[in-house]
Amino acid sequence: MDRETLLARVVAVGRRVRRIERRELTEFRRWVENTNNLIHLSILLFVPLLIGGVTIISNALTELSFLLFPPLASGTYTLFADPEGRYASPVKFVVGLTVGALAGWAALELSLLVSGPPAGTFGVLPAAAALSILLTGGATWALGVEEPAAFSTALLVLVTDRATPQSYVLSVAVFGALVAAVFYVWREQFYEKRARYLYSTVAADDRVLVPMRGPDWSSETTAVFGSRLAAAHEAGRVVLLGLVDDGDDERTEATVVTDHLESVAESVRAAGVPCEVVVKEGAPVTATLRAVSDTGCDLVVTPYEADDGALTDFVRGVFRGPSDAIAFRAVDDDCDWRRVLVLVARPGDTAHAMIDFAERIAGEEGALSVCTCIGSEVERRPAETRLANLVETVDRPVETRVARSDVTAYLTANARSYDLVVVGSSGDRSAASRFVSPPTFERIAEVETDVAVVDRGDP
């Protein structure tokens, strides 16, 4: 093997490794876009680190008791496990732990005055244990600082050395404040702003390619739809793609297509969105994917095409491409999409992308609703939590609905109340799942409302 051949193989292997790395990073980012996954990952990272840090300090300060760690660990888990929940207040966390320790100390002193010291090295007076729980419950309730871990600090102070309850109370307050400060910074600077750091569509999907296919009114309405998505970002722009077949008259056909696209482009530019026209020849899917690469676009918005209820080969080919894609089905040429319904089946990157696209289309004055359908009442509470996690990063009022209904039946009954329905392509479902239950968009052909089918790319 000569040197040039060896070098070429090394370069090829390097490129393949980089592609694999990019794919793995993309898959990890999409996994962590699920709020539940992000929370569990944060728990795995921060709880051990915080407890480890406290342990290092504890080993350096002999007066600190190891009994500090159980309530601190459980309280830290409670904070990170539900960052927007009832017990997610840093102030209540610190005050609750401290009040519990103070209540236990008070119960210990009172019991010693009445009954004397307990028998045995690690004995605890039953009266002291009962009184510490009573005082903790009453004090935290009265102060509005109820914290589950407070009952742990109240009981554990009873088994500290007689001379060190005050040190235990102080260490609970100090290290509780340390944990609360870390949690507060994590929640305010990362968790609450996770859309900016994690959700790729928020910072991208602003260079929109629109293949101009099908009837003129349909493709032109799709172009307007794509321009609305691009207009939401300062760097947004639209590329109108004309597709021509290989043949003797391709030059004449390209000229005709270009003239038509330029007229549409002028209307897009008039709305304040940069727009250019590109004409490609060859197989439609191949030409479209080549145009995505050549123009640097990261979102394809194509007119919806179906054959006997299923997507055409062209739309399926676009969905299998490297960039995010939307198949837009317009029922007429009305471009007023102020009331938008997002129908989500499960949390994840697709759901966040759908909500982001819907927010762009609705605009500042529009109304945005997010709905999921359930099959039984036992699913309602988890479904409500999932929707709350999905919409809490949206900086606008969002209506959430949990409907105990079949998806098709729900849309049939409610779609006319909206100007646009956004659904997922079910690309993340298995083939068996799609066979048993066809994708939602294949079951709503008769819905008299514009529909946008969102598919995340496969880079």
Side-chain angles (χ1 to χ4, degrees):
M1 181 184 300
D2 59 35
R3 182 177 180 181
E4 292 183 358
T5 303
L6 178 61
L7 180 60
R9 290 190 177 183
V10 171
V11 172
V13 170
R15 289 175 178 172
R16 182 174 299 178
V17 170
R18 286 193 294 271
R19 285 198 299 270
I20 294 174
E21 290 177 347
R22 286 196 298 268
R23 184 179 293 273
E24 293 300 322
L25 287 173
T26 298
E27 290 299 323
F28 174 75
R29 190 201 70 233
R30 291 185 175 178
W31 177 84
V32 84
E33 283 186 19
N34 185 319
T35 301
N36 287 334
N37 292 338
L38 174 63
I39 288 174
H40 281 95
L41 182 62
S42 297
I43 290 172
L44 290 176
L45 291 175
F46 284 97
V47 175
L49 286 175
L50 285 171
I51 298 304
V54 173
T55 303
I56 292 174
I57 300 174
S58 175
N59 291 336
L61 302 175
T62 55
E63 61 269 20
L64 290 184
S65 171
F66 185 78
L67 297 176
L68 166 69
F69 300 124
L72 201 61
S74 63
T76 304
Y77 178 87
T78 301
L79 284 176
F80 283 93
D82 191 4
E84 302 291 343
R86 175 183 178 185
Y87 301 111
S89 166
V91 173
K92 288 184 178 181
F93 172 76
V94 178
V95 175
L97 289 180
T98 306
V99 166
L102 287 171
W105 185 14
L108 175 63
E109 296 296 337
L110 290 173
S111 298
L112 289 173
L113 289 175
V114 175
S115 304
T121 305
F122 298 103
V124 175
L125 292 171
L131 184 58
S132 67
I133 296 299
L134 176 63
L135 293 177
T136 299
T140 55
W141 182 23
L143 296 173
V145 291
E146 294 170 292
E147 164 61 42
F151 295 95
S152 296
T153 59
L155 290 174
L156 289 173
V157 75
L158 303 180
V159 295
T160 59
D161 185 77
R162 177 72 179 85
T164 60
Q166 58 270 36
S167 299
Y168 182 78
V169 173
L170 179 61
S171 63
V172 165
V174 171
F175 290 105
L178 173 63
V179 169
V182 173
F183 168 75
Y184 178 80
V185 172
W186 170 82
R187 186 179 67 180
E188 298 300 317
Q189 299 302 319
F190 178 75
Y191 182 78
E192 294 288 358
K193 300 177 181 179
R194 62 191 183 278
R196 178 190 305 174
Y197 303 123
L198 298 178
Y199 305 157
S200 58
T201 59
V202 174
D205 285 341
D206 50 11
R207 301 179 299 280
V208 183
L209 180 78
V210 181
M212 301 292 284
R213 292 169 55 90
D216 287 348
W217 70 267
S218 176
S219 59
E220 291 170 9
T221 304
T222 303
V224 174
F225 185 85
S227 69
R228 296 278 181 86
L229 292 172
H233 290 172
E234 291 184 2
R237 63 185 176 92
V238 175
V239 177
L240 303 181
L241 173 64
L243 298 171
V244 298
D245 297 327
D246 294 327
D248 295 334
D249 297 329
E250 64 184 41
R251 180 175 299 179
T252 302
E253 183 181 357
T255 301
V256 173
V257 170
T258 302
D259 289 345
H260 171 64
L261 297 191
E262 282 294 348
S263 65
V264 179
E266 284 300 323
S267 64
V268 173
R269 296 180 190 120
V273 181
C275 183
E276 60 184 277
V277 170
V278 172
V279 177
K280 294 287 185 180
E281 62 182 51
V285 173
T286 303
T288 299
L289 297 183
R290 188 168 68 247
V292 170
S293 177
D294 293 346
T295 60
C297 289
D298 50 14
L299 174 65
V300 179
V301 178
T302 183
Y304 182 90
E305 300 175 6
D307 184 11
D308 292 331
L311 293 178
T312 62
D313 291 340
F314 174 77
V315 178
R316 291 183 184 278
V318 171
F319 279 1
R320 287 193 294 266
S323 61
D324 294 343
I326 297 176
F328 177 67
R329 191 202 70 172
V331 296
D332 53 39
D333 59 359
D334 186 1
C335 298
D336 184 14
W337 303 290
R338 297 185 183 181
R339 298 165 299 170
V340 183
L341 171 67
V342 181
L343 191 65
V344 298
R346 61 190 65 81
D349 63 303
T350 299
H352 288 294
M354 292 159 58
I355 294 172
D356 176 48
F357 292 143
E359 185 182 11
R360 296 195 212 178
I361 291 295
E364 296 182 358
E365 303 299 326
L368 182 59
S369 299
V370 180
C371 175
T372 191
C373 293
I374 59 175
S376 63
E377 282 301 314
V378 297
E379 302 175 49
R380 183 172 297 277
R381 186 63 62 84
E384 290 173 345
T385 300
R386 289 196 300 271
L387 290 186
N389 288 336
L390 284 172
V391 304
E392 67 185 7
T393 59
V394 180
D395 190 21
R396 64 179 299 157
V398 180
E399 176 192 38
T400 58
R401 291 187 178 187
V402 176
R404 185 178 176 181
S405 171
D406 174 75
V407 175
T408 306
Y410 178 82
L411 284 176
T412 302
N414 296 276
R416 289 188 178 182
S417 300
Y418 300 92
D419 303 313
L420 173 68
V421 174
V422 182
V423 299
S425 68
S426 300
D428 55 349
R429 290 172 53 188
S430 66
S433 173
R434 291 195 296 272
F435 176 79
V436 173
S437 178
T440 300
F441 66 85
E442 292 185 359
R443 294 179 281 161
I444 58 175
E446 304 303 321
V447 174
E448 292 298 321
T449 302
D450 292 353
V451 177
V453 183
V454 177
D455 183 85
R456 297 307 305 274
D458 185 21

